[in-house]
Amino acid sequence: MAWCVLSNAFGSKQLPSWTSSEDNNQSEKFLQLIDRAVIDCDPSVADASTPTQKALRQSASAFLYNMSRQLTAETNNGGADGNSELNEAIMSILIGCLENLGEENDSTSINRRYMCIGQILKSREFGQTAVGLTKDLGMLDVDMIQSASYDHIGDKVAKEVASLL
């Protein structure tokens, strides 16, 4: 339930002041929150197929998606060339959503993670950097997406992400 509340709060408003430190970087508390959400998205934990674990992964992935929207919206105002350096929060979200993606079997979690990845890859400020990192790490490629079997909506979202690579 906490991820739902945080997801809605962060998705509808400007980020709270505690998310930034005095030097205008992301605060340690904010980065810990993102790390916790990434951990809660992990489909390889014990009892991952229980309804409780599925709901936890769905809620945490919704939070990460809303965070990716907020963080890319904040930066898209500048209209940069896509080659800016990834900040720590965006990098954690991107890698966290890519990690174990092939092990996920819940379609809602898969869709939310792909939407999160797509939001970052299409960012005007650092989308090209994110695409390059994704390709360099080999965590996601067009062949992997096309060989995966998702529901109809999952296929559509995954193919859109593939088109960004």
Side-chain angles (χ1 to χ4, degrees):
M1 185 64 136
W3 288 126
C4 289
V5 172
L6 285 169
S7 178
N8 289 335
F10 281 60
S12 63
K13 295 184 177 185
Q14 191 173 25
L15 293 176
S17 61
W18 60 264
T19 62
S20 297
S21 61
E22 290 177 13
D23 58 355
N24 216 20
N25 288 323
Q26 286 125 358
S27 72
E28 189 63 31
K29 185 185 286 187
F30 178 59
L31 295 172
Q32 288 172 351
L33 185 64
I34 290 173
D35 287 343
R36 184 71 240 177
V38 167
I39 290 167
D40 286 348
C41 283
D42 187 355
S44 65
V45 297
D47 299 325
S49 61
T50 65
T52 303
Q53 284 296 318
K54 282 185 180 182
L56 179 64
R57 291 195 315 275
Q58 290 173 0
S59 298
S61 59
F63 169 77
L64 291 173
Y65 172 66
N66 280 342
M67 288 311 314
S68 69
R69 288 184 50 83
Q70 272 287 357
L71 293 169
T72 56
E74 283 182 357
T75 57
N76 275 344
N77 295 333
D81 64 359
N83 291 314
S84 296
E85 186 175 312
L86 300 176
N87 63 44
E88 192 171 346
I90 289 291
M91 191 174 307
S92 293
I93 293 170
L94 178 62
I95 292 173
C97 286
L98 289 167
E99 216 169 24
N100 303 318
L101 185 59
E103 296 173 37
E104 182 61 72
N105 58 14
D106 177 65
S107 62
T108 301
S109 295
I110 290 169
N111 289 339
R112 289 177 180 166
R113 287 171 72 173
Y114 269 125
M115 290 183 341
C116 186
I117 294 164
Q119 184 70 33
I120 294 169
L121 296 181
K122 72 178 185 133
S123 165
R124 281 181 264 170
E125 183 171 346
F126 41 72
Q128 291 178 5
T129 305
V131 168
L133 177 65
T134 302
K135 288 179 178 179
D136 289 347
L137 293 175
M139 296 176 84
L140 185 69
D141 62 24
V142 176
D143 293 333
M144 182 179 124
I145 292 171
Q146 290 176 341
S147 67
S149 173
Y150 304 118
D151 63 14
H152 174 69
I153 294 171
D155 278 341
K156 187 175 179 181
V157 174
K159 286 177 182 167
E160 274 194 53
V161 169
S163 73
L164 297 171
L165 293 174

